[in-house]
Amino acid sequence: MELPIKLSRDSRVPIYHQIEGQIKALIVSGKLPAGSPLPSIRALSKDLEISVITTRRAYQDLEYGGFIKTTQGKGTFVAEVEVKKMEKLAVSSVSEAIEKGVETALRHNYSVDEIRSVFEEVLARLKDNDRGGSE
Amino acid sequence: MKLCTQIERVEKTVDDFTVGPIDLDIELGTITSLIGNNGAGKSTLIKMMMNLVKPDNGLLLHFGTNIKTSEHWKQDVAYQPQSVLGCDLLTGNHLRDLMAPWYKNWDQEMFMNLVRIFEIDLNKRFGKMSKGMQQKLNIVLALSKNTKLLILDEPTANMDIPSKQKLMNILVGWMERDERAIVIATHQVDDIKKLADYIVIMNEGKVLGKYEKEELVYRYKRYWFEDGLEIEKIPGEIDRLNDRLLISNNVDQTDTFLKKNEIKIMQSEVLEVEEIITYMLMGR
């Protein structure tokens, strides 16, 4: 596997959208800097066990969005993305992730206060880890 | 979407078994896998695509040419049969020398490269090779013809696991080159999962359908319920394993019904490809 993409087949989010979101996150977080080569549509389809039709759709969306560019004969690469756009995306991906967590909590019949306290707990723990991890 | 193969109302009867009528299009740039039980008619269909079995009726075109009336398509289509007769005394080198001159795009570099990857001894007689090795040689010969369409009839049936993995990567690489297409008849789930874009399901000589892989996967779903189901049959239901576990082949219908009747779902998940194919072949 060339890219750390993990698909959830049971998610309501369509597969092509999941790929798109995860590649965007890799770009925005700086893990895939501008100019990095991306796997071909066929190779990624094999790795993710999906059809090229689905992968192509994700790549097309990313290309329209200006995140990647394809050069005939050379392949697909990460494009230069404006800093502003990156910041905006980071914010929306964070809120998306939190939304997902809240949804899970609501499914388990958590109250608003319970969710808040879980959030505080997680935040405190991760902050702690962060401090410990830098030693 | 450019088509490489058009199959229209093709039909063949041998003794009391009829394959067809079959309608099927193969698109360039895609891998189509032919699935079906033994005796479903996959090999007969493939042989008709190679004009090795002459259809009783119907029309078969490769790259716009009728394969019955022209020979041009033969430069553009390579075929790996399940078994080859009559070449037991020939070595790999002999077979190469017999085949290569017929194909104007023959790629000798690719041939030698693939021979190396699969560790094929070109001086060994075909009849002395293991089944897996014979299969590898057949595939290497077919690939090196450097055609636009490659038809594989159970290519990995006798192969060891590392060779299967190698072949998969080779086929992925082969597809990158140009606008090409592969049709692969297979019983290997991994071939379907990792290679197929389209799945064509055959049963008793008929094509039950051609599906894009994800389309097929999202058609089915497994549900676990919090309480035992008291309803006799739920829309979309094709199987019930106990009163809390149900399989549907029409997720939209089932979801709507469950919501309307306020039936609580504990969990739901998509099915594995092999389960889906099994249900499809049972006609569900």
Side-chain angles (χ1 to χ4, degrees):
Chain A
M1 172 75 79
E2 287 182 61
L3 289 178
I5 292 178
K6 210 168 156 45
L7 299 179
S8 161
R9 295 191 172 269
D10 299 313
S11 163
R12 282 182 181 277
V13 183
I15 295 287
Y16 74 92
H17 212 90
Q18 292 183 37
I19 301 170
E20 207 184 312
Q22 291 185 39
I23 292 181
K24 269 188 200 168
L26 289 167
I27 295 172
V28 171
S29 64
K31 288 184 186 102
L32 279 179
S36 313
L38 288 174
S40 71
I41 289 175
R42 173 61 64 190
L44 188 60
S45 304
K46 171 190 169 266
D47 286 343
L48 299 177
E49 302 186 345
I50 56 177
S51 75
V52 290
I53 298 118
T54 304
T55 311
R56 189 174 299 126
R57 195 159 170 196
Y59 270 33
Q60 266 165 2
D61 286 353
L62 287 165
E63 189 140 12
Y64 284 137
F67 290 92
I68 62 172
K69 53 178 191 288
T70 303
T71 319
Q72 201 66 46
K74 284 190 178 162
T76 305
F77 301 88
V78 175
E80 297 280 352
V81 186
E82 293 166 57
V83 178
K84 252 194 185 155
K85 199 166 162 189
M86 296 259 252
E87 281 168 355
K88 229 164 117 189
L89 254 160
V91 171
S92 78
S93 67
V94 168
S95 84
E96 234 174 71
I98 292 178
E99 206 175 291
K100 240 186 178 169
V102 172
E103 270 174 14
T104 308
L106 291 174
R107 255 205 313 277
H108 289 278
N109 299 327
Y110 274 46
S111 72
V112 173
D113 282 335
E114 279 172 321
I115 293 172
R116 199 171 279 134
S117 76
V118 171
F119 179 77
E120 298 281 353
E121 257 171 52
V122 172
L123 193 62
R125 195 178 68 231
L126 291 183
K127 258 173 132 180
D128 251 19
N129 281 352
D130 223 22
R131 247 179 260 132
S134 60
E135 277 165 20
Chain B
M1 181 188 84
K2 276 184 257 173
L3 292 181
C4 83
T5 300
Q6 291 155 275
I7 300 171
E8 290 169 13
R9 310 290 300 161
V10 162
E11 205 172 353
K12 176 77 187 179
T13 303
V14 179
D15 300 330
D16 56 351
F17 184 65
T18 300
V19 173
I22 287 171
D23 285 278
L24 186 64
D25 286 341
I26 307 293
E27 285 169 42
L28 274 177
T30 67
I31 301 179
T32 304
S33 94
L34 282 182
I35 319 273
N37 295 339
N38 304 322
K42 304 186 296 289
S43 291
T44 306
L45 174 60
I46 283 178
K47 283 178 187 150
M48 288 197 279
M49 289 171 77
M50 292 307 296
N51 210 25
L52 297 169
V53 167
K54 314 268 183 261
D56 301 330
N57 293 303
L59 191 63
L60 234 152
L61 310 174
H62 286 310
F63 306 98
T65 357
N66 187 338
I67 66 168
K68 218 161 63 178
T69 54
S70 162
E71 299 265 299
H72 288 303
W73 60 274
K74 287 192 172 167
Q75 288 291 328
D76 292 321
V77 185
Y79 161 58
Q80 169 255 315
Q82 258 184 57
S83 55
V84 190
L85 297 174
C87 53
D88 279 1
L89 294 176
L90 301 174
T91 66
N93 274 323
H94 288 144
L95 287 165
R96 192 221 76 95
D97 293 345
L98 281 173
M99 225 172 243
W102 291 96
Y103 291 88
K104 62 178 195 307
N105 293 325
W106 179 269
D107 188 334
Q108 182 61 19
E109 202 187 319
M110 180 174 9
F111 176 75
M112 290 313 294
N113 189 26
L114 295 174
V115 163
R116 235 185 336 269
I117 291 172
F118 282 128
E119 298 170 29
I120 299 169
D121 180 358
L122 291 176
N123 295 312
K124 200 167 186 173
R125 288 187 178 178
F126 194 79
K128 298 275 177 201
M129 293 179 184
S130 69
K131 277 204 161 170
M133 198 53 85
Q134 290 180 345
Q135 216 167 17
K136 288 176 202 170
L137 179 59
N138 281 334
I139 290 164
V140 168
L141 288 166
L143 281 163
S144 306
K145 290 173 186 170
N146 209 2
T147 55
K148 286 187 193 148
L149 172 62
L150 181 64
I151 302 176
L152 305 171
D153 198 352
E154 295 189 33
T156 54
N158 299 302
M159 275 191 204
D160 51 65
I161 292 168
S163 300
K164 281 182 189 168
Q165 294 295 321
K166 281 181 195 168
L167 178 66
M168 231 173 255
N169 289 326
I170 289 164
L171 294 179
V172 164
W174 190 87
M175 283 298 287
E176 305 282 4
R177 272 230 192 159
D178 214 342
E179 279 210 301
R180 294 179 149 177
I182 297 178
V183 173
I184 172 173
T186 182
H187 296 295
Q188 311 287 324
V189 177
D190 235 27
D191 290 349
I192 303 165
K193 280 188 177 171
K194 293 200 158 71
L195 294 175
D197 302 312
Y198 290 105
I199 294 174
V200 171
I201 306 211
M202 285 190 75
N203 198 25
E204 291 173 9
K206 302 266 188 293
V207 167
L208 296 183
K210 175 185 171 183
Y211 308 91
E212 195 229 317
K213 189 163 52 186
E214 274 74 58
E215 178 201 340
L216 192 60
V217 167
Y218 288 108
R219 181 182 283 223
Y220 290 80
K221 210 168 189 177
R222 184 186 349 263
Y223 297 85
W224 286 271
F225 300 103
E226 289 189 4
D227 309 304
L229 287 172
E230 276 149 27
I231 302 141
E232 225 164 75
K233 192 154 168 98
I234 285 177
E237 172 177 345
I238 52 163
D239 207 356
R240 197 181 290 201
L241 291 123
N242 58 50
D243 68 337
R244 288 182 182 208
L245 176 53
L246 177 137
I247 317 269
S248 159
N249 73 353
N250 192 328
V251 173
D252 283 342
Q253 268 189 28
T254 306
D255 280 345
T256 310
F257 180 88
L258 294 175
K259 207 166 181 180
K260 207 176 102 199
N261 290 278
E262 293 177 353
I263 298 170
K264 279 190 184 159
I265 303 165
M266 195 155 70
Q267 206 184 320
S268 65
E269 66 173 24
V270 296
L271 269 59
E272 293 293 334
V273 171
E274 49 265 61
E275 294 176 278
I276 293 173
I277 289 166
T278 305
Y279 278 123
M280 291 211 81
L281 290 175
M282 290 193 296
R284 298 193 208 176

